[in-house]
């Protein structure tokens, strides 16, 4: 049976210890296996306290990073790059503390920052990303945590929009420790065939987020979920499928995620209905794709 999780952004931002203590028991009671914890700023919540809470509830954790204004690894100055690397290392430390095997998110540029690039300029940006991410990946590897880099849609970034771009950008980083986080919302916008994109990401697939095409509950949409989950099984993906959506009640997160209306009757319904739908999907018996040996630097 696939492990299923939900991101606390469905209800609140930023996450705090008090909010997690309120939300986690409900998430466990509904039948989720995992809860996803955003680190908007290091210190917003205590990883050891969170781990004790989740262990007692039978929940595992995943951790997502947040690239807000001023967090840049490419096309920026050395001071900003160093500060962003320090932030990402602290996210790794939080993940290790709470027991998350991964940190996931657009670890390259602030969300909403876009600019035009020629082919040669893009190659230079990807080389810059390799250099900037390498020490973060080394720190993560030492902590037993993987870095999962998320392509976003064209309206939120111009750096990485597709699986193919992300695979190119990360090619010189070790696949065992640095790979992709795929979000079905962004795949639906940027990929001509979502399942085929999952197939191409297979050698580096470290994390998966799911929702409807409008950011609502998975299943209340036009997506080919049996095809998507079959591709994940072919890829040999064994991590959780995490429902990521957002509340329109928080002004900052609603603006950042362009959530201008309620996406369900209640925020709880996004989680509960999404969980029920994902649990209803069959576990396809498909052979995994061959996975090449991890690259080494």
């Amino acid at each position: 049976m696939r492990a299923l999780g939900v991101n606390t952004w469905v209800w609140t931002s930023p996450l705090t210890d008090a909010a997690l203590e309120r939300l986690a028991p409900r998430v466990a009671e509904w039948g989720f296996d995992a809860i996803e914890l955003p680190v908007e700023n290091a210190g917003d919540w205590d990883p050891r306290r969170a781990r004790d809470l989740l262990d007692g509830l039978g929940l595992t954790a995943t951790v997502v990073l947040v690239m807000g204004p001023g967090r840049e690894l490419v096309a920026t100055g050395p001071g900003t790059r160093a500060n962003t690397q320090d932030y990402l290392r602290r996210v790794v430390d939080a993940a290790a503390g709470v027991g998350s095997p991964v940190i996931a998110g657009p670890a390259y540029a602030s969300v909403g920052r876009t600019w035009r690039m020629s082919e040669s300029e893009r190659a230079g940006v990807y080389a810059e990303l390799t250099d900037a991410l390498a020490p973060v990946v080394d720190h993560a590897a030492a902590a037993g945590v993987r870095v999962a880099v998320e392509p976003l849609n064209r309206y939120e970034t111009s750096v990485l929009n597709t699986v193919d771009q992300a695979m190119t950008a990360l090619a010189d980083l070790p696949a065992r420790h640095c790979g992709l986080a795929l979000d079905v919302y962004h795949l639906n916008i940027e990929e001509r065939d979502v399942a085929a994109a999952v197939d191409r990401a297979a050698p580096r697939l470290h994390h998966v987020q799911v929702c409807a095409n409008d950011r609502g509950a998975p299943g209340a949409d036009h997506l080919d979920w049996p095809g998507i989950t079959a591709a994940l099984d072919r890829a040999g993906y064994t991590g959780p499928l995490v429902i990521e959506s957002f509340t329109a009640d928080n002004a900052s997160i609603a603006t950042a995620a362009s959530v201008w209306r309620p996406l369900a009757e209640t925020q709880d319904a996004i989680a509960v209905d999404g969980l029920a739908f994902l649990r209803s999907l069959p576990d396809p018996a498909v052979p995994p794709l061959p996975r090449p040996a991890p690259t080494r630097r």
Side-chain angles (χ1 to χ4, degrees):
M1 181 182 295
R2 298 182 187 91
L4 303 177
V6 63
N7 191 303
T8 59
W9 271 329
V10 171
W11 299 278
T12 190
S13 171
L15 181 64
T16 63
D17 290 324
L20 184 58
E21 288 169 2
R22 182 180 72 254
L23 290 170
R26 295 163 59 197
V27 167
E29 183 178 357
W30 288 328
F32 282 97
D33 307 293
I35 188 167
E36 188 153 272
L37 312 178
V39 181
E40 297 187 34
N41 292 287
D44 282 346
W45 49 271
D46 184 314
R48 292 186 180 276
R49 182 173 171 179
R51 184 164 192 165
D52 288 344
L53 172 67
L54 300 185
D55 283 350
L57 294 168
L59 290 171
T60 60
T62 57
V63 166
V64 289
L65 58 95
V66 182
M67 297 295 280
R71 289 181 180 154
E72 314 287 351
L73 289 183
V74 299
T76 192
T80 297
R81 183 178 301 109
N83 289 339
T84 304
Q85 289 169 321
D86 287 343
Y87 160 73
L88 292 172
R89 280 187 283 259
R90 295 191 70 182
V91 178
V92 167
D93 294 341
V98 77
S100 170
V102 66
I103 66 166
Y108 41 86
S110 56
V111 176
R113 183 184 176 210
T114 58
W115 69 99
R116 295 183 67 188
M117 286 176 271
S118 68
E119 185 176 344
S120 61
E121 288 169 336
R122 182 172 295 278
V125 165
Y126 290 174
E128 189 178 9
L129 178 59
T130 296
D131 289 342
L133 262 185
V136 176
V137 172
D138 288 344
H139 183 77
V145 173
R146 298 187 299 273
V147 178
V149 180
E150 180 184 7
L152 302 182
N153 70 73
R154 70 192 70 183
Y155 309 110
E156 297 184 24
T157 189
S158 54
V159 179
L160 297 179
N161 301 128
T162 69
V163 163
D164 291 342
Q165 287 178 329
M167 294 290 278
T168 297
L170 303 178
D172 291 332
L173 293 167
R176 181 178 178 183
H177 305 301
C178 181
L180 272 64
L182 297 186
D183 183 332
V184 169
Y185 175 79
H186 300 295
L187 295 178
N188 178 62
I189 296 172
E190 297 297 337
E191 302 289 352
R192 295 178 181 179
D193 185 325
V194 174
V198 173
D199 287 338
R200 296 196 302 277
R204 286 185 176 266
L205 184 53
H206 290 330
H207 191 60
V208 176
Q209 294 173 321
V210 296
C211 63
N213 61 280
D214 66 349
R215 276 292 187 201
D221 53 41
H222 62 240
L223 297 174
D224 175 16
W225 287 101
I228 293 169
T229 54
L232 291 170
D233 285 1
R234 286 196 300 273
Y237 178 70
T238 58
L241 308 185
V242 178
I243 297 172
E244 184 192 50
S245 187
F246 305 93
T247 174
D249 294 335
N250 180 294
S252 61
I253 197 170
T255 300
S258 298
V259 177
W260 313 121
R261 57 183 173 80
L263 300 174
E265 290 187 7
T266 66
Q267 293 305 110
D268 287 357
I270 294 175
V272 174
D273 293 349
L275 176 65
F277 172 75
L278 294 171
R279 285 280 186 237
S280 75
L281 292 172
D283 287 321
V286 294
L289 293 174
R291 297 174 69 88
T295 58
R296 296 183 181 274
R297 287 189 289 110

